[in-house]
């Protein structure tokens, strides 16, 4: 079975500071990992994914995520937060050897203060 | 816009009503999904269609009835719902039902059951 955990309901950061949104996963094989963002009154939008290769993945809007196999983590990061980054962020995992359907976390609300 | 359109955006219905949610994608995708989003809960997969055939039914109550007449359109027929069914219902599509594919989401239908 595949699962993903987002341990923080909310992350607060000041504009201009670095941000991290945490995600840990559990799969039986090598994971496919995704980050999505949801702005108010909108659906989820794809940010980035890790399939294989370099552990540091770069995505849209200056976001990046680091795959850490030993810690089973895939934390989302950005060097300098913007107020417009305030949104709900979802981590998702797929086990390529199992279901094709991604399992999503419960989301983390990121609030960037001016 | 993501290329996935959902109507209506908001729906209020009584427990004895019958209504339908509509989803249309203009991306040429072959897989379509219904998800339920409730506050502070993981995104909950409901149904998956691949080339118009239902491939996943995640133990959804029979008061939710999906229909996929072609690869571009997906419906969710609702009848005798319960107040706990109030949530944001998201439609998504992907090119294929494969592990590495990213999902494209509509903006959702906010459903309130009175």
């Amino acid at each position: 079975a595949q699962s993903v955990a987002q341990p923080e309901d909310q992350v607060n950061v000041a504009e201009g500071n670095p941000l991290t949104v945490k995600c840990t996963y559990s799969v039986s094989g090598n994971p496919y990992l995704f980050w999505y963002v949801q702005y108010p009154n909108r659906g989820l939008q794809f940010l980035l994914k890790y399939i294989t290769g370099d552990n540091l993945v770069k995505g849209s809007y200056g976001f990046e995520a680091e795959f850490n196999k030993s810690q089973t983590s895939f934390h989302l990061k950005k060097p300098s937060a913007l107020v417009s980054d305030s949104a709900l962020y979802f981590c998702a995992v797929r086990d390529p050897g199992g279901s094709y359907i991604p399992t999503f976390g419960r989301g983390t609300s990121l609030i960037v203060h001016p | 816009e993501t290329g996935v359109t959902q109507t209506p955006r908001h729906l209020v219905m009584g427990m004895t009503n019958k209504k339908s949610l509509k989803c249309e994608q203009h991306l040429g995708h072959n897989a379509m999904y219904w998800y339920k989003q409730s506050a502070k809960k993981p995104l909950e997969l409901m149904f998956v269609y691949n080339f118009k055939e239902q491939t996943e039914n995640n133990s959804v109550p029979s008061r939710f009835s999906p229909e996929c007449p072609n690869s571009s359109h997906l419906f969710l027929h609702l009848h005798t719902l319960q107040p706990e069914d109030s949530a944001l219902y998201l439609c998504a599509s992907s090119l294929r039902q494969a592990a590495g594919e990213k999902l494209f989401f509509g903006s959702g239908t906010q459903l309130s059951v009175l």
Side-chain angles (χ1 to χ4, degrees):
Chain A
Q2 58 192 34
S3 66
V4 63
Q6 294 181 245
E8 302 154 316
D9 279 345
Q10 185 172 302
V11 170
N12 291 277
V13 64
E15 187 174 31
N17 283 0
L19 69 88
T20 298
V21 182
K22 295 180 180 178
C23 172
T24 58
Y25 67 88
S26 174
V27 296
S28 56
N30 293 317
Y32 289 2
L33 294 156
F34 304 79
W35 276 103
Y36 289 81
V37 60
Q38 184 179 33
Y39 298 104
N41 302 313
R42 303 292 296 275
L44 280 68
Q45 296 178 33
F46 171 81
L47 272 181
L48 52 81
K49 69 178 178 181
Y50 170 83
I51 302 297
T52 187
D54 194 347
N55 289 344
L56 186 64
V57 179
K58 294 187 183 297
S60 307
Y61 312 120
F63 284 93
E64 58 188 28
E66 185 168 11
F67 171 62
N68 187 317
K69 188 172 183 178
S70 62
Q71 297 187 4
T72 62
S73 67
F74 189 57
H75 300 333
L76 182 70
K77 300 181 180 184
K78 188 174 182 181
S80 178
L82 299 172
V83 172
S84 57
D85 292 330
S86 299
L88 192 57
Y89 289 81
F90 288 89
C91 182
V93 65
R94 263 173 160 163
D95 182 350
S99 169
Y100 288 126
I101 310 303
T103 296
F104 285 84
R106 61 181 182 172
T108 298
S109 178
L110 173 67
I111 299 175
V112 181
H113 302 277
Chain B
E1 295 301 323
T2 63
V4 180
T5 303
Q6 288 187 245
T7 54
R9 291 296 302 271
H10 301 273
L11 179 62
V12 179
M13 59 187 289
M15 290 193 288
T16 58
N17 291 159
K18 290 185 181 181
K19 297 286 184 183
S20 295
L21 310 185
K22 179 183 176 182
C23 176
E24 183 175 4
Q25 57 95 359
H26 308 277
L27 301 168
H29 288 172
N30 297 304
M32 296 189 77
Y33 310 73
W34 278 116
Y35 280 91
K36 176 182 178 182
Q37 183 179 9
S38 303
K40 299 190 178 180
K41 290 186 178 180
L43 236 60
E44 183 181 339
L45 177 71
M46 300 177 73
F47 303 102
V48 182
Y49 280 81
N50 195 35
F51 290 96
K52 301 189 300 178
E53 298 296 321
Q54 187 179 122
T55 56
E56 296 279 343
N57 178 336
N58 199 23
S59 302
V60 180
S62 59
R63 58 186 183 269
F64 295 91
S65 175
E67 178 189 2
C68 188
N70 54 62
S71 292
S72 298
H73 294 86
L74 185 64
F75 296 89
L76 188 62
H77 303 300
L78 316 172
H79 64 96
T80 59
L81 293 191
Q82 304 299 311
E84 60 264 29
D85 296 322
S86 298
L88 181 68
Y89 288 84
L90 292 168
C91 173
S93 70
S94 63
L95 181 60
R96 301 173 297 158
Q97 189 179 327
E101 291 291 334
K102 63 184 181 184
L103 301 182
F104 292 76
F105 285 83
S107 296
T109 295
Q110 185 66 54
L111 174 66
S112 297
V113 182
L114 304 178

